[in-house]
PDB file of all heavy atoms in Angstrom:
ATOM      1  N   SER A   1      30.461 101.934  82.353  1.00 97.00           N
ATOM      2  CA  SER A   1      30.840 103.237  82.898  1.00 97.00           C
ATOM      3  C   SER A   1      32.337 103.398  82.648  1.00 97.00           C
ATOM      4  O   SER A   1      33.157 102.756  83.319  1.00 97.00           O
ATOM      5  CB  SER A   1      30.547 103.315  84.394  1.00 97.00           C
ATOM      6  OG  SER A   1      31.083 104.515  84.928  1.00 97.00           O
ATOM      7  N   GLU A   2      32.672 104.234  81.660  1.00 96.00           N
ATOM      8  CA  GLU A   2      34.083 104.459  81.338  1.00 96.00           C
ATOM      9  C   GLU A   2      34.809 105.127  82.499  1.00 96.00           C
ATOM     10  O   GLU A   2      35.944 104.768  82.810  1.00 96.00           O
ATOM     11  CB  GLU A   2      34.210 105.305  80.067  1.00 96.00           C
ATOM     12  CG  GLU A   2      33.611 104.665  78.831  1.00 96.00           C
ATOM     13  CD  GLU A   2      34.354 103.435  78.335  1.00 96.00           C
ATOM     14  OE1 GLU A   2      35.510 103.206  78.741  1.00 96.00           O
ATOM     15  OE2 GLU A   2      33.759 102.698  77.531  1.00 96.00           O
ATOM     16  N   ARG A   3      34.174 106.109  83.139  1.00 96.00           N
ATOM     17  CA  ARG A   3      34.818 106.835  84.251  1.00 96.00           C
ATOM     18  C   ARG A   3      35.135 105.923  85.426  1.00 96.00           C
ATOM     19  O   ARG A   3      36.199 106.028  86.030  1.00 96.00           O
ATOM     20  CB  ARG A   3      33.934 107.992  84.718  1.00 96.00           C
ATOM     21  CG  ARG A   3      34.099 109.229  83.869  1.00 96.00           C
ATOM     22  CD  ARG A   3      33.259 110.403  84.311  1.00 96.00           C
ATOM     23  NE  ARG A   3      33.364 110.718  85.724  1.00 96.00           N
ATOM     24  CZ  ARG A   3      32.492 111.446  86.369  1.00 96.00           C
ATOM     25  NH1 ARG A   3      31.436 111.941  85.756  1.00 96.00           N
ATOM     26  NH2 ARG A   3      32.644 111.700  87.642  1.00 96.00           N
ATOM     27  N   ALA A   4      34.209 105.039  85.775  1.00 97.00           N
ATOM     28  CA  ALA A   4      34.417 104.143  86.915  1.00 97.00           C
ATOM     29  C   ALA A   4      35.154 102.871  86.518  1.00 97.00           C
ATOM     30  O   ALA A   4      35.568 102.109  87.374  1.00 97.00           O
ATOM     31  CB  ALA A   4      33.077 103.773  87.544  1.00 97.00           C
ATOM     32  N   ARG A   5      35.301 102.646  85.191  1.00 98.00           N
ATOM     33  CA  ARG A   5      35.936 101.428  84.672  1.00 98.00           C
ATOM     34  C   ARG A   5      35.192 100.181  85.155  1.00 98.00           C
ATOM     35  O   ARG A   5      35.777  99.191  85.574  1.00 98.00           O
ATOM     36  CB  ARG A   5      37.413 101.345  85.054  1.00 98.00           C
ATOM     37  CG  ARG A   5      38.249 102.539  84.632  1.00 98.00           C
ATOM     38  CD  ARG A   5      38.356 102.741  83.145  1.00 98.00           C
ATOM     39  NE  ARG A   5      38.927 101.580  82.480  1.00 98.00           N
ATOM     40  CZ  ARG A   5      38.671 101.243  81.219  1.00 98.00           C
ATOM     41  NH1 ARG A   5      37.861 101.969  80.499  1.00 98.00           N
ATOM     42  NH2 ARG A   5      39.200 100.181  80.697  1.00 98.00           N
ATOM     43  N   LEU A   6      33.832 100.250  85.086  1.00 98.00           N
ATOM     44  CA  LEU A   6      32.973  99.151  85.518  1.00 98.00           C
ATOM     45  C   LEU A   6      31.978  98.796  84.419  1.00 98.00           C
ATOM     46  O   LEU A   6      31.548  99.662  83.660  1.00 98.00           O
ATOM     47  CB  LEU A   6      32.199  99.533  86.782  1.00 98.00           C
ATOM     48  CG  LEU A   6      33.012  99.773  88.043  1.00 98.00           C
ATOM     49  CD1 LEU A   6      32.113 100.329  89.135  1.00 98.00           C
ATOM     50  CD2 LEU A   6      33.701  98.490  88.495  1.00 98.00           C
ATOM     51  N   ALA A   7      31.606  97.517  84.366  1.00 98.00           N
ATOM     52  CA  ALA A   7      30.584  97.027  83.440  1.00 98.00           C
ATOM     53  C   ALA A   7      29.470  96.399  84.267  1.00 98.00           C
ATOM     54  O   ALA A   7      29.702  95.435  85.006  1.00 98.00           O
ATOM     55  CB  ALA A   7      31.178  95.996  82.487  1.00 98.00           C
ATOM     56  N   PHE A   8      28.268  96.952  84.143  1.00 97.00           N
ATOM     57  CA  PHE A   8      27.113  96.475  84.896  1.00 97.00           C
ATOM     58  C   PHE A   8      26.324  95.497  84.031  1.00 97.00           C
ATOM     59  O   PHE A   8      25.934  95.839  82.907  1.00 97.00           O
ATOM     60  CB  PHE A   8      26.233  97.655  85.327  1.00 97.00           C
ATOM     61  CG  PHE A   8      26.947  98.604  86.244  1.00 97.00           C
ATOM     62  CD1 PHE A   8      27.634  99.694  85.739  1.00 97.00           C
ATOM     63  CD2 PHE A   8      26.957  98.378  87.608  1.00 97.00           C
ATOM     64  CE1 PHE A   8      28.313 100.565  86.585  1.00 97.00           C
ATOM     65  CE2 PHE A   8      27.635  99.242  88.458  1.00 97.00           C
ATOM     66  CZ  PHE A   8      28.321 100.335  87.949  1.00 97.00           C
ATOM     67  N   PRO A   9      26.074  94.286  84.535  1.00 96.00           N
ATOM     68  CA  PRO A   9      25.381  93.284  83.724  1.00 96.00           C
ATOM     69  C   PRO A   9      23.886  93.563  83.578  1.00 96.00           C
ATOM     70  O   PRO A   9      23.288  94.256  84.405  1.00 96.00           O
ATOM     71  CB  PRO A   9      25.597  91.995  84.525  1.00 96.00           C
ATOM     72  CG  PRO A   9      25.704  92.453  85.942  1.00 96.00           C
ATOM     73  CD  PRO A   9      26.409  93.787  85.867  1.00 96.00           C
ATOM     74  N   ILE A  10      23.323  93.030  82.510  1.00 92.00           N
ATOM     75  CA  ILE A  10      21.874  93.034  82.321  1.00 92.00           C
ATOM     76  C   ILE A  10      21.458  91.572  82.353  1.00 92.00           C
ATOM     77  O   ILE A  10      21.880  90.783  81.512  1.00 92.00           O
ATOM     78  CB  ILE A  10      21.473  93.685  80.987  1.00 92.00           C
ATOM     79  CG1 ILE A  10      21.915  95.150  80.972  1.00 92.00           C
ATOM     80  CG2 ILE A  10      19.967  93.564  80.770  1.00 92.00           C
ATOM     81  CD1 ILE A  10      21.701  95.849  79.653  1.00 92.00           C
ATOM     82  N   ARG A  11      20.677  91.197  83.364  1.00 91.00           N
ATOM     83  CA  ARG A  11      20.247  89.802  83.541  1.00 91.00           C
ATOM     84  C   ARG A  11      18.736  89.707  83.397  1.00 91.00           C
ATOM     85  O   ARG A  11      18.009  90.407  84.096  1.00 91.00           O
ATOM     86  CB  ARG A  11      20.667  89.285  84.914  1.00 91.00           C
ATOM     87  CG  ARG A  11      22.156  89.232  85.101  1.00 91.00           C
ATOM     88  CD  ARG A  11      22.530  88.563  86.423  1.00 91.00           C
ATOM     89  NE  ARG A  11      23.946  88.763  86.679  1.00 91.00           N
ATOM     90  CZ  ARG A  11      24.455  89.229  87.804  1.00 91.00           C
ATOM     91  NH1 ARG A  11      23.655  89.534  88.807  1.00 91.00           N
ATOM     92  NH2 ARG A  11      25.745  89.385  87.943  1.00 91.00           N
ATOM     93  N   ASP A  12      18.302  88.844  82.507  1.00 87.00           N
ATOM     94  CA  ASP A  12      16.867  88.660  82.262  1.00 87.00           C
ATOM     95  C   ASP A  12      16.178  89.993  81.997  1.00 87.00           C
ATOM     96  O   ASP A  12      15.068  90.241  82.457  1.00 87.00           O
ATOM     97  CB  ASP A  12      16.195  87.939  83.435  1.00 87.00           C
ATOM     98  CG  ASP A  12      16.750  86.544  83.647  1.00 87.00           C
ATOM     99  OD1 ASP A  12      17.036  85.861  82.650  1.00 87.00           O
ATOM    100  OD2 ASP A  12      16.907  86.153  84.814  1.00 87.00           O
ATOM    101  N   GLY A  13      16.884  90.876  81.273  1.00 84.00           N
ATOM    102  CA  GLY A  13      16.306  92.161  80.920  1.00 84.00           C
ATOM    103  C   GLY A  13      16.355  93.207  82.009  1.00 84.00           C
ATOM    104  O   GLY A  13      15.817  94.293  81.856  1.00 84.00           O
ATOM    105  N   ILE A  14      17.022  92.909  83.124  1.00 88.00           N
ATOM    106  CA  ILE A  14      17.081  93.842  84.252  1.00 88.00           C
ATOM    107  C   ILE A  14      18.522  94.307  84.456  1.00 88.00           C
ATOM    108  O   ILE A  14      19.404  93.485  84.731  1.00 88.00           O
ATOM    109  CB  ILE A  14      16.564  93.178  85.551  1.00 88.00           C
ATOM    110  CG1 ILE A  14      15.130  92.725  85.353  1.00 88.00           C
ATOM    111  CG2 ILE A  14      16.699  94.136  86.737  1.00 88.00           C
ATOM    112  CD1 ILE A  14      14.614  91.838  86.442  1.00 88.00           C
ATOM    113  N   PRO A  15      18.785  95.608  84.310  1.00 92.00           N
ATOM    114  CA  PRO A  15      20.132  96.117  84.583  1.00 92.00           C
ATOM    115  C   PRO A  15      20.441  95.989  86.082  1.00 92.00           C
ATOM    116  O   PRO A  15      19.659  96.417  86.927  1.00 92.00           O
ATOM    117  CB  PRO A  15      20.056  97.592  84.180  1.00 92.00           C
ATOM    118  CG  PRO A  15      18.834  97.704  83.337  1.00 92.00           C
ATOM    119  CD  PRO A  15      17.899  96.645  83.808  1.00 92.00           C
ATOM    120  N   ILE A  16      21.568  95.379  86.389  1.00 95.00           N
ATOM    121  CA  ILE A  16      21.996  95.198  87.773  1.00 95.00           C
ATOM    122  C   ILE A  16      22.983  96.321  88.091  1.00 95.00           C
ATOM    123  O   ILE A  16      24.147  96.273  87.728  1.00 95.00           O
ATOM    124  CB  ILE A  16      22.650  93.817  87.984  1.00 95.00           C
ATOM    125  CG1 ILE A  16      21.779  92.699  87.431  1.00 95.00           C
ATOM    126  CG2 ILE A  16      23.005  93.615  89.452  1.00 95.00           C
ATOM    127  CD1 ILE A  16      20.406  92.599  88.058  1.00 95.00           C
ATOM    128  N   MET A  17      22.489  97.349  88.768  1.00 96.00           N
ATOM    129  CA  MET A  17      23.266  98.566  88.980  1.00 96.00           C
ATOM    130  C   MET A  17      23.933  98.603  90.362  1.00 96.00           C
ATOM    131  O   MET A  17      23.972  99.634  91.019  1.00 96.00           O
ATOM    132  CB  MET A  17      22.368  99.794  88.782  1.00 96.00           C
ATOM    133  CG  MET A  17      21.716  99.864  87.417  1.00 96.00           C
ATOM    134  SD  MET A  17      22.885  99.738  86.050  1.00 96.00           S
ATOM    135  CE  MET A  17      23.872 101.180  86.319  1.00 96.00           C
ATOM    136  N   LEU A  18      24.487  97.489  90.769  1.00 97.00           N
ATOM    137  CA  LEU A  18      25.194  97.390  92.040  1.00 97.00           C
ATOM    138  C   LEU A  18      26.697  97.308  91.768  1.00 97.00           C
ATOM    139  O   LEU A  18      27.140  96.467  90.977  1.00 97.00           O
ATOM    140  CB  LEU A  18      24.751  96.150  92.813  1.00 97.00           C
ATOM    141  CG  LEU A  18      23.265  96.069  93.140  1.00 97.00           C
ATOM    142  CD1 LEU A  18      22.918  94.694  93.684  1.00 97.00           C
ATOM    143  CD2 LEU A  18      22.895  97.154  94.122  1.00 97.00           C
ATOM    144  N   VAL A  19      27.472  98.159  92.411  1.00 97.00           N
ATOM    145  CA  VAL A  19      28.917  98.161  92.212  1.00 97.00           C
ATOM    146  C   VAL A  19      29.505  96.800  92.535  1.00 97.00           C
ATOM    147  O   VAL A  19      30.403  96.318  91.839  1.00 97.00           O
ATOM    148  CB  VAL A  19      29.580  99.290  93.035  1.00 97.00           C
ATOM    149  CG1 VAL A  19      31.091  99.199  92.969  1.00 97.00           C
ATOM    150  CG2 VAL A  19      29.102 100.649  92.559  1.00 97.00           C
ATOM    151  N   ASP A  20      28.984  96.127  93.560  1.00 97.00           N
ATOM    152  CA  ASP A  20      29.485  94.804  93.943  1.00 97.00           C
ATOM    153  C   ASP A  20      29.233  93.747  92.869  1.00 97.00           C
ATOM    154  O   ASP A  20      29.928  92.734  92.834  1.00 97.00           O
ATOM    155  CB  ASP A  20      28.839  94.338  95.248  1.00 97.00           C
ATOM    156  CG  ASP A  20      29.309  95.145  96.442  1.00 97.00           C
ATOM    157  OD1 ASP A  20      30.315  95.878  96.325  1.00 97.00           O
ATOM    158  OD2 ASP A  20      28.670  95.049  97.499  1.00 97.00           O
ATOM    159  N   GLU A  21      28.251  93.956  92.015  1.00 97.00           N
ATOM    160  CA  GLU A  21      27.927  93.013  90.944  1.00 97.00           C
ATOM    161  C   GLU A  21      28.614  93.364  89.619  1.00 97.00           C
ATOM    162  O   GLU A  21      28.584  92.581  88.681  1.00 97.00           O
ATOM    163  CB  GLU A  21      26.415  92.982  90.712  1.00 97.00           C
ATOM    164  CG  GLU A  21      25.632  92.409  91.859  1.00 97.00           C
ATOM    165  CD  GLU A  21      25.775  90.900  91.976  1.00 97.00           C
ATOM    166  OE1 GLU A  21      25.832  90.221  90.940  1.00 97.00           O
ATOM    167  OE2 GLU A  21      25.848  90.411  93.118  1.00 97.00           O
ATOM    168  N   ALA A  22      29.218  94.546  89.542  1.00 98.00           N
ATOM    169  CA  ALA A  22      29.846  95.010  88.305  1.00 98.00           C
ATOM    170  C   ALA A  22      31.184  94.316  88.076  1.00 98.00           C
ATOM    171  O   ALA A  22      31.875  93.915  89.009  1.00 98.00           O
ATOM    172  CB  ALA A  22      30.046  96.515  88.360  1.00 98.00           C
ATOM    173  N   ARG A  23      31.493  94.196  86.784  1.00 97.00           N
ATOM    174  CA  ARG A  23      32.777  93.634  86.370  1.00 97.00           C
ATOM    175  C   ARG A  23      33.747  94.798  86.180  1.00 97.00           C
ATOM    176  O   ARG A  23      33.409  95.815  85.585  1.00 97.00           O
ATOM    177  CB  ARG A  23      32.590  92.872  85.047  1.00 97.00           C
ATOM    178  CG  ARG A  23      33.843  92.309  84.445  1.00 97.00           C
ATOM    179  CD  ARG A  23      33.518  91.496  83.204  1.00 97.00           C
ATOM    180  NE  ARG A  23      32.974  92.309  82.123  1.00 97.00           N
ATOM    181  CZ  ARG A  23      33.708  93.020  81.270  1.00 97.00           C
ATOM    182  NH1 ARG A  23      35.021  93.039  81.375  1.00 97.00           N
ATOM    183  NH2 ARG A  23      33.124  93.707  80.295  1.00 97.00           N
ATOM    184  N   LYS A  24      34.966  94.659  86.724  1.00 98.00           N
ATOM    185  CA  LYS A  24      35.977  95.695  86.548  1.00 98.00           C
ATOM    186  C   LYS A  24      36.557  95.570  85.144  1.00 98.00           C
ATOM    187  O   LYS A  24      36.887  94.480  84.697  1.00 98.00           O
ATOM    188  CB  LYS A  24      37.084  95.562  87.589  1.00 98.00           C
ATOM    189  CG  LYS A  24      36.589  95.890  88.976  1.00 98.00           C
ATOM    190  CD  LYS A  24      37.681  95.809  89.988  1.00 98.00           C
ATOM    191  CE  LYS A  24      37.096  96.116  91.365  1.00 98.00           C
ATOM    192  NZ  LYS A  24      38.054  95.978  92.418  1.00 98.00           N
TER     193      LYS A  24
END
């Protein structure tokens, strides 16, 4: 997410769409 400056991981084929799990 360019606007939020966050990178959400995909683990075992599942997108993890939690802000707390995202990398800044």
Side-chain angles (χ1 to χ4, degrees):
S1 172
E2 299 292 344
R3 277 181 50 198
R5 304 296 302 152
L6 295 172
F8 298 92
I10 298 174
R11 296 186 191 129
D12 298 322
I14 301 169
I16 310 300
M17 302 307 298
L18 301 170
V19 173
D20 291 346
E21 293 287 323
R23 176 176 65 82
K24 291 182 182 176

